[in-house]
Amino acid sequence: MQRQWGCVGDFPIVPAEMGDRDLGPSEEGERKEERGERWGVGLGGVGGLGEIEFHFSVGTGVTAMGPTYKVASAKMRSREFATWLTARRQGENETLDGQQMLEDIDMEMFDSDLYIGVTKRRKCSMGSEKVKSVTSLVYHPVQDADEEYLYAYGLDIKTGDTFRFYVPDPELALPSSETASQEIARLKHKEIIGGFIFTCCGRGAPFFGRPNIDSSPVLDNFPSVPVSGMFCGGEIGRGPSISGNSDGGQEQSFLHVYSSVYLLLSFSPPPRRA
């Protein structure tokens, strides 16, 4: 039976079977059995039918600039869903307002999207895990700056948190996409049955200067695998650990900006019975 590729933006969609002929009783039963073996075990190998595994990779797209700051004061404004900040350069005592902080970076970059990446150490748990302290890197868009405050979108920024400024960087995003492709290539020994791509709406051809960069890590390695995707405003996924933060530990990013998040599914058949 022939298959046809569709496309949404930069992304191919799941192949659609052509034709609408009726199936005979025998063929319909075989089709249902095939669907059950392939997709009915997505939560862990029910009934000895096999297992589906999830594989994750991420291509980043922002780069840090300027010094590291430590939050001196943080006024949360719940109605505006914003935080008003003053800060000190790490290792210094002078408290800086928003304008002074922006003077530390190239002001021309402020014409682009500007973020602060805040290193937060918070107590949390995931699923059945015990509550523990986790260090994470959280991105907050910069809304404005004046002679009083730096205005950041979002809450949960506390006095003592550290941060740096981040800007979109296609020169960093391109090799990061190539790294994601190399990680996905390591899955070629597995039976990949499908995948999803979630990429920032600020990426795509205008960002890179040419098309198909975000979809190539999957399609270059698995050209016949059905893939779907969408553009997002904040991409969710466990990112790689980043070493060398201010307290000498490691931090992870779970909500990304200007990134592409890849999720692939592999199928492992059940072991043969003796």
Side-chain angles (χ1 to χ4, degrees), residues 33-46:
E33 182 179 357
E34 178 184 353
R35 285 198 297 263
E37 290 180 355
R38 299 283 286 187
W39 303 105
V41 294
L43 297 179
V46 179

Side-chain angles (χ1 to χ4, degrees), residues 197-269:
I197 306 174
F198 304 95
T199 191
C200 177
C201 57
R203 288 170 64 110
F207 182 64
F208 289 104
R210 62 181 191 268
N212 303 322
I213 298 298
D214 289 314
S215 57
S216 61
V218 176
L219 298 185
D220 287 352
N221 291 294
F222 300 100
S224 61
V225 168
V227 180
S228 183
M230 63 181 294
F231 289 101
C232 310
E235 306 77 55
I236 299 173
R238 288 195 180 190
S241 296
I242 304 171
S243 59
N245 55 312
S246 58
D247 60 4
Q250 288 188 327
E251 58 194 26
Q252 282 191 316
S253 180
F254 300 95
L255 180 61
H256 307 272
V257 293
Y258 274 85
S259 72
S260 281
V261 170
Y262 303 94
L263 179 66
L264 297 182
L265 292 76
S266 67
F267 176 73
S268 300

